[in-house]
Amino acid sequence: MKKVENKSVKLIAASFLLFALVICLEGVACAQTKETAGRSGGLMPVPSSVRDIPGRLAVTGDFRVSFVGNKDPRLERYVSRVLRRIEGRTVLELPRDFAGDSGSAALVIEARAAGKAVPELREDESYSLKIDETQARLTAPTSLGAMRGLETLLQLLQSDSDGFFLPAVDIEDKPRFPWRGLMIDSARHFQPMEVLKRNLDGMAAVKLNVFHWHLTEDQGFRVESRKFPKLHGLGSDGLFYTQEEIKEIIEYAADRGIRVVPEFDMPGHATAWLVGHPELGSAPGPYTIERNPGIFDPTMDPTKETTYEFLAVFLAEMAGLFPDAYIHIGGDENEGKQWDANPDIQAFMKEKGLKDNHELQNEFNKRVLAILKKHGKTMMGWDEIFQPDLPQDVVIHSWRGQEALAEAARKGYFGVLSNGYYIDLMYPASDHYLVDPVPAGTTLSVEEQKRVLGGEATMWSEWVSPETIDSRIWPRTAGIAERLWSAGSVNDVDDMYRRLEIVSIQLEEHGLTHRRNRRVMLRRLLQSNDTADLERLVSLIEPVKQYQRYQQRKQTMLSPLTGLIDAAGADAPGAREFRRLVREKLKARSVKFDSELRVQFISWQGTGTRLEQTMANAAALHEAKGLAGDLRKMGEIGIEALEHLADGDSPAGWRETTLSRLKEISKPKAALEFAVIKSLEELVKAASENKPGSKTSVEN
Ligand code: ACM
C-alpha cells in the first residue's frame, strides 16, 4: 500500500500527479496519514483511492448544489439534509433552492440513475468526487453512490483562519463488501423509534447499508402482527412497533440507502412467541415473558403441522411488511431440552430416522425455507442453521467464527460475519477493527471469497437502554464500517483511533448521544453538577468484557441501567492516552515523558482521595466506591515508579509488594475495571528490573 503524503503533494510536479494516479488504482487504498490529517485525512471509511491536490474550494454562504441529469426526490432530500448539516457545522445560512445551472454551483451532482427506491443487495454504491478550486463534482451511476459520496464530502469539510473549505481532492470509491450491517436487538430492551432513526443516520454517515432488526426474543416480541395479535399483545409489555412504525423505519432507512432485514428468531429464543401462543411450544406452558439474560428452553414444536400453518400465515404477513429480499430466522442456541423431554417429539424423530436435534432443526429449517421461498424471500440464519443438505440459497450468519464462515463459503453458501463484531462484549474498537471477513492469507479461492458478503456489528441489548445504546454502538461501529468498506490493507490502529475521534464528533449531529449522555448519567448518580472527578475516573475504567457483567453483577431485563457501569464504556479514552505515554516512556527510556506522567499520577491521587469521600456520600455509587481508593493507590504507585526509574534503583521488596497491590487493584468492582493496570505494571517492572545500586541507562 502506498500512502499519499502531504509533503509530496506540495510538489505539484506533473510527474508526481501521474505517479499518484498510477499508484491509486482500484482496490489499492491510498490511505491518509497523520501528515495529511488536515486535508483528506479525516475520512472514515478510507476510500479506494484518494489523491490530494493543492488548493481548496471555499465553503461560503452561497454554497449551492445543482443536479445534472437525474434528480430524484430521494437524492434531493439527502442533499437537503447534507446542506443542513453543513449549516450546523459552519453556522452559515445556505440557500434553500438548488442552482439552476451547474456553472454557478459549488457542488454539481451527476447521479446517472435513481437506483432502487428500496435498496437491494449488490446495488452499485460507487462514486467519484473531484474537488478543485472552483467546484466539487460528485458523479455516480446511481443516487445510492451519490449518497455515499455526499458523506465523504461532509467528512472533508474543515476550517482554518481563512474560513471553511473542502480540500482539492480526487476520490474514486466503492465498497469492498456489499453487506455492511448493524444489528440492533430491539427485543431484550425495546428501542424507541428515535433511537433507531438516529442510528440509521449514523450508519449512513459511515456508509453502512444493512439494518438487521432483531425483533423477537425470549424477552420480547416487538412487531405488531395483525394476523396473530396475541404475539405482540401478550409478548411485549406493550412495547412493540406497529406496522405503520415498521413502514416508517423502512422508509427512513431506504431514504438513506439502507436495507432493513428483519429477524424472527425460531425455533429457540422463542419464549415471547409462546406467551400468547403456547400451542406453538414443545411443552404445554403456560409461558411468561423471560426477564433474565441467557439461553432458555421454550422452543417451537417442529413436529406439528399446526406450527407450520401458523408460521406460513405469520411469515406471509411479515414478507408483505418487509420489502427486503432477505428474512433472518435466527436459529441459534436451541439446546433442544424441550424436544428431549417430549415423548411425541422423540417418537417423531424415531419414525423419521432423525438421529439428533440438529437433524430435527434442519427439518424445521427446510419447512420454513419453503414458506419463505413462496414469498420470494431468501432465508438467512445464524451458524446453527448450517447443516448438511440445506439448499445453498441460504445465507449463513456467522457468530461463531471466521472459520465457520469460510467453511460455509467452501461448501457453496453465502455468508455474513459477526463473530468479532459483537460490540455488546465491550472490547476496544481496535479488536473489532482487525477482524476481517476475508483475512489476508485466506485459503478461499476467489470464487469462494465472493460468497463472503460482508459483516454486521451486533448490538445485543441485554444491557443497553435507549439512554446508553448509542455509547455501545458509536464510535466503535465506525471502525467496523471501515473494515467492511475499505481495502483490507487499511489497518493502522492508531490512525483508526485518530479518525474515530473526528467521526465521533460528526456523528453527534444526528442526535446520537454516545458522548453526551455520560455526563448526564454522572450528574444523576451524583445529584450534582460537579462531575469532573467522576469523569476522570470513568475515563480510566471499562465494564468487564465478554459475558462477565452478568456473572459479577446480577440484573434482569427490568433492572435500571443507570449505574456507573452503564456510564462507562469500552475504549476508556484516558486509559488509551496513558498507555501511549507509558509505551513512549519505556521505549525512549528518557525523562522526556516524566512530567506528563507525573501530572497524571498526582491527578489520580487527588481525584481518588476526593472521590473516596464523594462516592461514600452518593449511595448510588457505593457499589463502585472501592475504585476511588484504587485510583489513589495507583497514583501513589505511579509516582514511586517514576522515582525509582529515575534512580535506576528500587528498594528491596518494592517490586513484589507493588505488583501484589496492583493485582488487588485489578479485581473488578461493580463489574468495572481499570484499563491502565497492565501499563502501570510494566512501569513498575521497568522501575525495578535493576538490582539496587546499579543505575539504569536513563538519559535525557
Ligand atoms: C447469537 O449470538 N446467539 C447469535
Side-chain angles (χ1 to χ4, degrees):
M1 182 180 72
K2 177 75 186 144
K3 297 189 176 180
V4 175
E5 287 173 11
N6 205 27
K7 276 183 261 136
S8 315
V9 170
K10 282 183 188 146
L11 307 167
I12 347 164
S15 62
F16 169 76
L17 293 182
L18 192 63
F19 177 61
L21 269 176
V22 172
I23 58 165
C24 293
L25 289 173
E26 188 179 292
V28 179
C30 299
Q32 293 80 44
T33 61
K34 279 197 175 87
E35 293 74 41
T36 57
R39 297 181 59 79
S40 61
L43 298 181
M44 185 168 222
V46 166
S48 315
S49 128
V50 180
R51 187 165 61 87
D52 286 315
I53 300 169
R56 53 161 66 185
L57 175 64
V59 174
T60 62
D62 58 1
F63 189 90
R64 276 174 193 273
V65 178
S66 84
F67 295 86
V68 174
N70 162 62
K71 181 186 173 201
D72 67 283
R74 183 174 64 152
L75 183 56
E76 237 183 85
R77 287 193 294 274
Y78 208 104
V79 170
S80 293
R81 288 194 299 273
V82 165
L83 291 173
R84 302 291 81 75
R85 285 160 69 190
I86 295 177
E87 286 186 333
R89 287 188 214 170
T90 61
V91 207
L92 293 168
E93 189 173 333
L94 305 181
R96 295 266 153 168
D97 58 332
F98 296 115
D101 70 290
S102 59
S104 65
L107 170 61
V108 179
I109 300 175
E110 184 179 357
R112 287 185 281 275
K116 310 277 184 189
V118 178
E120 294 176 5
L121 180 66
R122 296 192 196 284
E123 261 192 90
D124 192 336
E125 295 175 274
S126 67
Y127 68 92
S128 87
L129 177 61
K130 297 179 197 309
I131 301 172
D132 62 27
E133 295 194 330
T134 56
Q135 210 163 48
R137 290 192 77 89
L138 174 60
T139 318
T142 72
S143 294
L144 194 60
M147 292 178 192
R148 307 297 180 238
L150 283 163
E151 295 297 341
T152 302
L153 179 123
L154 271 164
Q155 290 187 348
L156 287 167
L157 177 64
Q158 54 207 279
S159 80
D160 64 12
S161 56
D162 292 333
F164 289 96
F165 67 96
L166 297 166
V169 72
D170 190 344
I171 291 174
E172 298 289 335
D173 201 9
K174 65 175 188 180
R176 179 174 169 214
F177 293 105
W179 190 302
R180 307 178 308 280
L182 169 65
M183 188 214 75
I184 293 181
D185 172 2
S186 283
R188 290 184 173 100
H189 277 94
F190 181 74
Q191 302 298 331
M193 294 287 281
E194 70 265 22
V195 171
L196 302 180
K197 287 182 177 177
R198 68 190 187 223
N199 277 286
L200 285 163
D201 282 318
M203 289 174 66
V206 294
K207 301 181 172 64
L208 289 174
N209 66 356
V210 180
F211 170 40
H212 167 180
W213 202 354
H214 188 79
L215 282 162
T216 71
E217 256 304 335
D218 296 299
Q219 296 87 348
F221 193 99
R222 306 296 183 193
V223 54
E224 178 194 16
S225 169
R226 293 184 183 161
K227 299 288 183 189
F228 301 110
K230 282 194 283 184
L231 282 173
H232 64 277
L234 297 179
S236 76
D237 300 304
L239 296 171
F240 63 91
Y241 306 100
T242 64
Q243 295 204 353
E244 289 315 308
E245 287 173 326
I246 299 268
K247 286 179 197 157
E248 195 179 322
I249 290 294
I250 292 167
E251 205 173 294
Y252 195 91
D255 236 31
R256 285 147 184 81
I258 297 171
R259 299 166 46 215
V260 178
V261 175
E263 178 183 350
F264 312 103
D265 210 340
M266 61 182 86
H269 283 278
T271 310
W273 298 70
L274 307 183
V275 179
H277 288 278
E279 74 278 10
L280 293 174
S282 302
Y287 296 90
T288 55
I289 297 174
E290 182 58 57
R291 304 302 184 190
N292 292 295
I295 302 172
F296 302 96
D297 298 345
T299 307
M300 292 178 190
D301 187 338
T303 69
K304 287 197 275 202
E305 278 309 305
T306 48
T307 302
Y308 301 107
E309 286 159 16
F310 184 101
L311 287 175
V313 175
F314 174 75
L315 289 172
E317 185 184 17
M318 293 302 124
L321 184 58
F322 290 91
D324 200 81
Y326 292 77
I327 286 187
H328 201 304
I329 63 147
D332 53 322
E333 295 181 316
N334 167 28
E335 295 184 340
K337 289 187 188 155
Q338 283 193 339
W339 294 355
D340 296 340
N342 181 326
D344 291 343
I345 292 177
Q346 293 306 305
F348 177 93
M349 288 171 70
K350 206 161 171 191
E351 182 196 325
K352 301 277 180 193
L354 302 170
K355 68 174 190 308
D356 58 23
N357 287 335
H358 297 303
E359 291 196 0
L360 180 57
Q361 186 164 341
N362 202 34
E363 290 307 299
F364 173 84
N365 291 341
K366 285 196 269 186
R367 296 292 300 270
V368 174
L369 177 66
I371 295 169
L372 292 176
K373 272 195 166 168
K374 233 177 82 186
H375 300 287
K377 301 293 187 184
T378 302
M379 185 168 100
M380 179 166 185
W382 298 102
D383 277 321
E384 289 93 329
I385 72 160
F386 182 37
Q387 290 284 321
D389 90 340
L390 194 66
Q392 288 182 340
D393 55 351
V394 299
V395 176
I396 308 298
H397 191 175
S398 181
W399 69 284
R400 290 179 168 176
Q402 278 158 308
E403 197 33 56
L405 186 70
E407 186 55 22
R410 268 185 215 106
K411 297 214 159 104
Y413 294 85
F414 287 97
V416 169
L417 184 68
S418 275
N419 177 278
Y421 303 138
Y422 267 43
I423 49 180
D424 60 317
L425 301 185
M426 291 294 162
Y427 284 106
S430 51
D431 282 30
H432 301 303
Y433 186 61
L434 295 176
V435 174
D436 196 317
V438 181
T442 179
T443 55
L444 294 180
S445 70
V446 173
E447 204 49 42
E448 289 161 351
Q449 287 180 37
K450 283 191 194 141
R451 297 193 192 114
V452 177
L453 297 174
E456 284 184 9
T458 46
M459 184 67 264
W460 297 107
S461 70
E462 280 90 342
W463 311 123
V464 295
S465 68
E467 183 175 51
T468 63
I469 188 168
D470 298 356
S471 72
R472 275 50 184 152
I473 298 175
W474 306 109
R476 290 179 300 157
T477 295
I480 297 172
E482 173 156 288
R483 176 57 50 243
L484 299 172
W485 178 282
S486 306
S489 53
V490 178
N491 56 15
D492 179 331
V493 167
D494 287 340
D495 197 57
M496 183 272 293
Y497 275 116
R498 179 185 65 76
R499 289 175 293 120
L500 218 50
E501 279 297 301
I502 300 168
V503 169
S504 184
I505 293 168
Q506 292 166 353
L507 285 166
E508 289 193 293
E509 70 198 16
H510 305 291
L512 286 162
T513 62
H514 54 296
R515 291 171 86 113
R516 76 170 84 133
N517 272 5
R518 172 171 292 176
R519 202 172 281 176
V520 172
M521 296 173 79
L522 297 185
R523 272 199 294 274
R524 187 171 55 222
L525 284 164
L526 287 168
Q527 289 293 305
S528 158
N529 275 320
D530 197 0
T531 55
D533 282 339
L534 199 54
E535 277 180 60
R536 204 162 299 131
L537 172 68
V538 170
S539 85
L540 299 172
I541 55 178
E542 292 174 357
V544 288
K545 300 185 175 42
Q546 277 278 350
Y547 297 101
Q548 291 180 69
R549 173 177 171 146
Y550 179 63
Q551 288 151 15
Q552 295 183 17
R553 194 169 172 276
K554 296 276 188 253
Q555 284 189 310
T556 74
M557 296 307 117
L558 301 178
S559 307
L561 298 175
T562 52
L564 193 61
I565 188 170
D566 301 297
D571 269 323
R576 205 168 57 244
E577 174 55 17
F578 176 75
R579 292 195 298 264
R580 185 192 64 79
L581 266 178
V582 171
R583 207 164 55 228
E584 300 280 341
K585 163 78 189 164
L586 295 181
K587 198 165 78 185
R589 286 299 170 111
S590 90
V591 296
K592 198 168 121 206
F593 303 95
D594 284 16
S595 58
E596 262 181 279
L597 281 168
R598 190 176 302 278
V599 166
Q600 291 229 11
F601 293 137
I602 290 170
S603 150
W604 292 3
Q605 266 189 312
T607 306
T609 307
R610 287 190 299 276
L611 278 177
E612 284 182 285
Q613 189 62 45
T614 312
M615 291 172 83
N617 289 331
L621 291 165
H622 279 182
E623 59 168 345
K625 67 176 194 274
L627 295 165
D630 288 345
L631 183 60
R632 174 178 51 74
K633 289 177 207 158
M634 291 198 308
E636 289 163 13
I637 291 170
I639 289 168
E640 288 171 17
L642 283 183
E643 280 165 9
H644 301 330
L645 258 180
D647 289 349
D649 196 355
S650 68
W654 179 80
R655 178 187 178 105
E656 292 69 28
T657 315
T658 308
L659 289 178
S660 102
R661 282 178 86 191
L662 277 178
K663 197 156 180 219
E664 203 52 39
I665 291 169
S666 72
K667 290 182 185 158
K669 278 126 204 128
L672 285 159
E673 58 194 357
F674 284 98
V676 291
I677 306 261
K678 252 204 199 104
S679 291
L680 198 50
E681 231 173 58
E682 282 165 24
L683 205 63
V684 166
K685 285 181 181 162
S688 57
E689 67 196 5
N690 298 288
K691 299 212 165 41
S694 75
K695 297 285 179 196
T696 60
S697 56
V698 175
E699 54 193 55
N700 277 312

